[in-house]
């Protein structure tokens, strides 16, 4: 359907008898396992040729699908450099296997970015953000799933339960990816599952997915420049910790540092998202 209109299908004169050039709009017919199509597209082609296709897929099947079909892949591999590079190299290998160029796809892992004037300020801000995100009620709900029994009446900012987790009760099917096996982080002898957490809520936070970057503008810029220059990623899909204010520090403080290092544009050179992402035109 995206290709149903010829590139020059729209009439170029107000005197033309019809809005589209006669014969320039093709009929689209397709039969498949899931749907059948038989229509004449009613809209002209996108200025991009076709829309930019984004997809999130970390599994092997998801990566194969991305290599065959999409322009941009989201991932959870944007925090640790070695992990991000391994993901990128795996995706490129899959691109080569299906006959696509290595630069035919952009890798934009999701991340949260917390910026402070100093490293200490950034860490304190990040801790505040996590405590705001994981409220006492949320922490107790997650802790109940981790321990395998109801903890909702406990003090989220108090000590850990004295009881051992009921490992058999945890099935990992709660719609949230926290930790996969309580027995792995609750060793015999009742030692702490995390080295620094002082409360139940802090323990839940530290056991949770750690995706994001915390630091000063200059420190983060150096870090991100390394990611980009070594091909570990092409950019980030930013999840602001506050909406919309969470982008202000990135725009005002981080972007200038990235521009100084030559890893972020200073002006747009195109007019479409496809051009902004540096993707090849669609034939």
């Amino acid at each position: 359907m995206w290709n149903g209109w010829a590139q020059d299908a729209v009439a170029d004169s107000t005197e033309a008898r019809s809005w589209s050039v006669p014969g320039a709009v093709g009929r689209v017919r397709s039969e498949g396992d899931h749907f059948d199509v038989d229509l004449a597209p009613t809209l002209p082609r996108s200025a991009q040729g076709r829309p930019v296709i984004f997809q999130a897929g970390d599994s092997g099947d998801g990566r194969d699908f991305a290599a065959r079909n999409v322009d941009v892949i989201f991932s959870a591999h944007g925090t640790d450099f070695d992990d991000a590079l391994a993901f990128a190299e795996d995706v490129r290998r899959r691109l080569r296997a299906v006959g696509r160029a290595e630069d035919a796809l952009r890798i934009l892992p999701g991340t949260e970015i917390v910026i402070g004037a100093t490293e200490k300020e950034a860490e304190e801000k990040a801790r505040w953000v996590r405590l705001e995100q994981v409220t006492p009620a949320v922490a107790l709900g997650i802790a109940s799933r981790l321990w395998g029994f109801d903890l909702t009446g406990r003090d989220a900012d108090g000590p850990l339960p004295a009881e051992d987790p009921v490992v058999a009760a945890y099935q990992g099917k709660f719609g949230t990816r926290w930790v996969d096996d309580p027995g792995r982080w609750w060793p015999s002898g009742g030692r702490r599952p995390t080295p620094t957490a002082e409360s139940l809520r802090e323990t839940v936070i530290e056991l949770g997915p750690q995706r994001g970057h915390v630091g000063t503008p200059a420190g983060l810029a150096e870090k991100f420049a390394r990611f980009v220059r070594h091909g570990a990623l092409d950019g980030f899909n930013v999840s602001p910790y506050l909406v919309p204010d969470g982008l202000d520090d990135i725009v005002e403080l981080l972007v200038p540092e990235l521009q100084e290092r030559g890893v972020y544009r200073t002006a747009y050179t195109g007019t479409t998202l496809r051009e902004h992402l540096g993707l090849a035109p669609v034939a």
Side-chain angles (χ1 to χ4, degrees):
M1 288 186 280
W2 290 329
N3 293 328
W5 285 55
Q7 192 71 37
D8 55 354
V10 178
D12 58 3
S13 169
T14 57
E15 304 301 320
R17 296 182 61 185
S18 65
W19 187 61
S20 61
V21 175
V25 180
R27 193 159 194 89
V28 178
R29 294 184 176 90
S30 178
E31 295 182 2
D33 294 336
H34 304 292
F35 55 84
D36 298 333
V37 173
D38 184 357
L39 56 81
T42 57
L43 294 173
R45 289 164 59 95
S46 162
Q48 305 184 108
R50 63 164 171 74
V52 178
I53 303 175
F54 290 72
Q55 180 248 354
D58 262 2
S59 68
D61 287 344
R63 298 182 193 192
D64 284 340
F65 180 88
R68 292 192 305 270
N69 299 293
V70 311
D71 302 303
V72 181
I73 185 171
F74 294 142
S75 81
H77 301 273
T79 302
D80 177 77
F81 174 81
D82 292 335
D83 177 59
L85 185 60
F87 176 83
E89 290 175 343
D90 180 65
V91 169
R92 294 189 190 106
R93 177 183 61 78
R94 295 170 195 262
L95 285 165
R96 293 194 300 269
V98 297
R100 294 180 71 191
E102 287 188 359
D103 63 350
L105 184 151
R106 296 289 172 264
I107 300 172
L108 301 181
T111 195
E112 200 173 68
I113 299 174
V114 179
I115 300 173
T118 64
E119 292 291 341
K120 181 179 179 181
E121 179 184 304
E123 290 292 342
E124 290 176 351
K125 188 174 180 181
R127 182 177 182 277
W128 171 81
V129 168
R130 290 299 280 158
L131 287 172
E132 290 295 306
Q133 291 173 333
V134 183
T135 65
V138 170
L140 291 172
I142 293 171
S144 296
R145 297 196 288 270
L146 297 182
W147 261 264
F149 54 89
D150 186 11
L151 295 173
T152 54
R154 307 292 179 99
D155 179 5
D157 292 312
L160 273 61
E163 306 93 330
D164 289 342
V166 182
V167 177
Y170 181 81
Q171 301 296 323
K173 299 175 182 177
F174 296 102
T176 181
R177 183 184 174 198
W178 219 258
V179 296
D180 55 7
D181 178 10
R184 182 169 57 81
W185 52 260
W186 189 270
S188 59
R191 291 176 293 166
R192 288 180 179 275
T194 66
T196 60
E198 298 292 337
S199 68
L200 179 58
R201 178 155 58 141
E202 289 178 335
T203 298
V204 166
I205 290 171
E206 291 196 14
L207 289 173
Q210 303 298 318
R211 287 192 312 195
H213 297 276
V214 178
T216 64
L220 290 174
E222 285 293 333
K223 185 180 187 180
F224 294 165
R226 180 179 179 231
F227 275 72
V228 172
R229 288 170 177 155
H230 288 271
L233 47 80
D234 297 294
F236 289 109
N237 174 34
V238 178
S239 301
Y241 58 87
L242 290 176
V243 179
D245 307 64
L247 290 173
D248 290 351
D249 286 349
I250 296 172
V251 173
E252 296 168 6
L253 303 175
L254 178 58
V255 166
E257 294 281 352
L258 293 169
Q259 290 172 330
E260 278 191 18
R261 290 160 177 78
V263 292
Y264 198 96
R265 65 166 60 87
T266 56
Y268 288 110
T269 56
T271 59
T272 66
L273 178 60
R274 182 173 295 280
E275 290 169 326
H276 296 336
L277 291 171
L279 295 166
V282 175

